[in-house]
Amino acid sequence: MAYVVTESCIRCKYTDCVDVCPVDCFREGPNFLAIDPDECIDCTLCVAECPVEAIFAEDDVPPDQQSFIALNAELAKRWPPIIERKPALPDADDWADVKDKRGLLER
């Protein structure tokens, strides 16, 4: 079971989670992070670090976010690894509590 980044990350892209990942399983897109399910070792360290609570164990992904399981796997194959913390997007705090951001995901 891997961990999954969900909708709350879109347009925020805080990278606190990247700092604690022992296996560098995060992948970086323009306005979202994804977790490579083949690299994730289920350590749970990233979950507590996410300021927008966007990361869930695959079995605990909310019903309305289930499509992000496949989306993380797909994007992880195309996006490059991110192995160190970077600043969040400039307007991340403005987007942190916004719901229904799926249509804003940039691939």
Side-chain angles (χ1 to χ4, degrees):
M1 170 181 63
Y3 279 74
V4 177
V5 181
T6 60
E7 186 173 30
S8 296
C9 182
I10 298 172
R11 302 264 339 226
C12 293
K13 202 170 88 169
Y14 295 102
T15 59
D16 306 53
C17 52
V18 173
D19 252 358
V20 299
C21 182
V23 294
D24 300 331
C25 69
F26 283 89
R27 303 296 180 257
E28 181 182 23
N31 69 349
F32 183 71
L33 297 176
I35 293 176
D36 184 333
D38 295 329
E39 298 291 327
C40 180
I41 60 169
D42 309 325
C43 70
T44 76
L45 294 173
C46 59
V47 175
E49 295 301 315
C50 182
V52 292
E53 299 178 354
I55 304 172
F56 294 87
E58 188 174 335
D59 290 346
D60 296 330
V61 173
D64 66 330
Q65 302 287 303
Q66 290 287 310
S67 64
F68 281 87
I69 297 171
L71 184 63
N72 273 245
E74 172 197 334
L75 297 175
K77 291 179 178 143
R78 298 191 302 178
W79 286 351
I82 176 173
I83 57 173
E84 59 186 27
R85 187 177 185 170
K86 296 180 180 179
L89 295 176
D91 58 351
D93 292 341
D94 297 335
W95 287 96
D97 294 322
V98 174
K99 304 293 182 209
D100 300 320
K101 301 187 284 185
R102 194 174 316 229
L104 302 173
L105 176 65
E106 296 175 28
R107 294 172 181 244

